[in-house]
Amino acid sequence: VLTLVTKQGASSANVVGVVALMYSLFGLGISWGRGTEDELNTIAAGTLTGLLYKSSAGIPKMLRGGAAGLGLSTAYCLYQSRDRLKASIGIN
């Protein structure tokens, strides 16, 4: 059991590390390119990360990866902006 957990943990850590690095680099590049820091940068970085991460698996999987990145980053932005969104639509 320990060997399985160790091998699977290392593999999972590599995947998370690669995705985090790609997301950070895309986010930084987009932020520098646009000259602003907002939700659009987060969503674009998440989408591009999903696209690039799955780009070697073919077009359909690449598009699914991009859609997953888009969905996750959009959900994150909505969660982080919930107070501002509630105020803008008048919900207390």
Side-chain angles (χ1 to χ4, degrees):
V1 172
L2 185 60
T3 303
L4 176 67
V5 169
T6 304
K7 286 182 181 181
Q8 188 65 27
S11 176
S12 298
N14 284 338
V15 169
V16 170
V18 167
V19 169
L21 179 65
M22 286 191 305
Y23 173 77
S24 297
L25 291 175
F26 278 131
L28 186 62
I30 293 168
S31 179
W32 281 352
R34 292 185 63 224
T36 184
E37 180 62 40
D38 60 2
E39 288 85 4
L40 185 59
N41 294 359
T42 302
I43 292 171
T47 304
L48 289 172
T49 298
L51 286 169
L52 182 62
Y53 185 74
K54 287 294 186 178
S55 64
S56 63
I59 299 291
K61 288 188 179 182
M62 182 177 81
L63 293 176
R64 276 186 252 149
L70 174 67
L72 289 170
S73 59
T74 301
Y76 174 76
C77 286
L78 289 173
Y79 178 75
Q80 289 295 320
S81 303
R82 66 188 178 281
D83 293 334
R84 189 170 38 131
L85 291 171
K86 285 180 184 178
S88 68
I89 46 180
I91 297 175
N92 291 331

